[in-house]
Amino acid sequence: MTFVGAYLALAGVLNLLWAAGALADKRNFAENELVWSTLSTWGWIALFIGAAQLLGAGLVVTRKGAGPWIAGFLGFLGLLVNFLAIGAYPIWSAILLAVNALVVWACTVHSDEFF
């Protein structure tokens, strides 16, 4: 449970940093390599996902009943967002893919420990 909370919080912070970078300074990103839309759109999406992941981490750490389900869903959303935005900043997205995959893995494999 601590692992899921810590890694979901880490994913949330990293998504917030990615979003801040995408919204503030577009020179470091390859906007023309995105699958869909603009870098600003992906920045706002990553901002909302990151904030939700931080809230989900709080639910998991405080052992709320829906915490594991929300954590798994937010980990999946993080995977999806970072996979679709991998063209803009591949190394950062690959790191976030790994962190979110660990969250989903821990929520599914160790789900019996949550209840």
Side-chain angles (χ1 to χ4, degrees), residues 37-91:
S37 196
T38 64
L39 194 54
S40 294
T41 303
W42 284 110
W44 283 106
I45 291 170
L47 184 73
F48 290 125
I49 296 293
Q53 285 177 328
L54 286 175
L55 290 173
L59 288 175
V60 169
V61 170
T62 58
R63 298 184 184 260
K64 299 295 180 189
W69 294 98
I70 293 171
F73 180 69
L74 290 172
F76 171 74
L77 281 180
L79 276 169
L80 184 65
V81 166
N82 289 296
F83 181 73
L84 292 174
I86 199 165
Y89 207 56
I91 295 172

